[in-house]
Amino acid sequence: MDIVKANMGWIEVVCGPMFSGKSEELIRRLRRAEIARQRVQIFKPSLDDRYSNSEIVSHSQLRIDSQAVESAADIMQRIEARTEVIGIDEANFLGNGLVEVVTRLADLGKRVIVAGLDTDYLGRPFDPIPTLLALAEQITKTLAICMRCGNPAKFTQRLIASDDLIVVGAGGMYEARCRRCFEAGVTPEARQKTVSTEA
Ligand SMILES: [Zn+2]
């Protein structure tokens, strides 16, 4: 962000496949804000309890304290008036309700940083990130490294058989793949179906 005068809020989105360092980047930005003594609040969906319920932990074991929330509306209720910077991890678990919450917070003058997957296990745009990308002031796309061939990887390959949009997991259940190695394994009809999350 360049020069921003007092009390102007904005939206930043960090998105990409799994294993691309999204949480790491989110934690890095939030830490810098904390070092500058800004008031920071951090949220993650309680659905994601892979590592800890009171912290965001990256695959590389960076961690930062966070509050677990059930829904996007829950975030709104927990925001303290003096908070200046808000971090939200795993946005996909919070569904499209997050768009309104994030917009309201930015309109209130807060800096909001959201991290999540931009595409799902079939390679389709994954709510609510596509809408947030359109509304954000700043976008960062993180790439992983293809676990098959070493090229830059944009896709999350699911390695287990499941048709559920959300299957919580990490190493062993998913891997990062490049465009060439990604196998969506889906018919053209299924590809056209719109994705919507009810998390
Ligand atoms: Zn590849």
Side-chain angles (χ1 to χ4, degrees), residues 146 148-149 151 178 181:
C146 178
R148 277 221 170 145
C149 76
N151 272 317
C178 72
C181 298

Side-chain angles (χ1 to χ4, degrees), residues 128-148:
I129 295 294
T131 310
L132 289 171
L133 286 176
L135 297 171
E137 268 81 0
Q138 196 200 53
I139 296 164
T140 303
K141 280 234 185 187
T142 50
L143 290 173
I145 293 169
C146 178
M147 286 158 148
R148 277 221 170 145

